[in-house]
Each structure stands twice: as structure tokens, then as C-alpha cells.
Amino acid sequence: MLAGLYRAAQVGVVTPLHDGMNLVANEYVACQDPEDPGVLVLSRFAGAAEELGDALIVNPYDIESVADALQRALTMPLEERKARYNAMMEVLRRNDISLWRENFVTALSGAPYDS
């Protein structure tokens, strides 16, 4: 059901004030119709902003910039939406769960151990 809502949404707005890694942004992108994708508006404070640079990145404290991004998202031409979607999907495909697991285990193995 949630995937269907993501797919139907013309704009996904994910604007946390502080966040480590926001999977909602990834889920929104992954659920889009490749032939008619929506646009992701994403807080620069979300961890996902580092990976999903083709989203419309905003400072959620700046209300006017968020409003401008929403206007831009709602009026964005199809070809630009597709280009942004394809770029973000390439990142998501490359950074799959296996890569995440490997990076996580590597980071853990380098962490100091205190017993």
C-alpha cells in the first residue's frame, strides 16, 4: 500500500531537520514509474542527500526555498524528471544492501573494542 502511494505521488517531500539516513527518500525514488517519475524534494540535512544529489535539495529552515522547490517539482518537464530519476536509480542500484552490509562490517571491524 505504501509503495502505491509513493508511486502515485508527483512529488515526494522528505525534509527532516536532522537525520542519519532517510530510507523514505530511497523508497520514494525506487517506487516511481520510470516513464513518468515524480520529483524528490529532499532536506540537505537528510543522510540520503549525500547519495541522492539529483533530488531537489533544500534547507528545510528556509521556507521560501522549499516553496520554490515544490513549484519547480510540480512544473518540471518530463525529460528532466526522467534524467533525475535515472541518475538516482543508478545510485540506488549501485549501493544495494550487500554493499551496505560490507561497509557496515568493515566499519565495525575497525571500531575500538572495549570490554
Side-chain angles (χ1 to χ4, degrees):
M1 184 164 126
L2 187 56
L5 293 173
Y6 287 152
R7 191 171 183 96
Q10 292 179 323
V11 179
V13 181
V14 182
T15 53
L17 302 178
H18 178 74
D19 188 15
M21 180 58 174
N22 196 306
L23 294 178
V24 171
N26 295 7
E27 292 166 352
Y28 174 77
V29 172
C31 289
Q32 292 307 295
D33 175 357
E35 297 305 314
D36 188 20
V39 178
L40 177 62
V41 176
L42 183 60
S43 168
R44 65 182 224 159
F45 303 118
E50 292 179 26
E51 289 187 336
L52 301 178
D54 284 283
L56 298 181
I57 306 296
V58 297
N59 178 343
Y61 291 104
D62 183 348
I63 295 170
E64 285 187 32
S65 76
V66 174
D68 290 343
L70 290 172
Q71 175 65 25
R72 183 172 176 202
L74 289 168
T75 59
M76 187 176 289
L78 177 60
E79 290 308 311
E80 183 179 355
R81 289 188 284 125
K82 284 183 175 182
R84 288 173 178 274
Y85 163 79
N86 287 326
M88 288 187 286
M89 280 304 298
E90 178 59 32
V91 170
L92 295 181
R93 285 186 188 102
R94 199 172 50 245
N95 297 330
D96 65 3
I97 189 67
S98 296
L99 180 64
W100 180 88
R101 182 193 67 238
E102 290 169 18
N103 290 340
F104 186 78
V105 170
T106 299
L108 280 178
S109 65
Y113 178 71
D114 186 18
S115 55

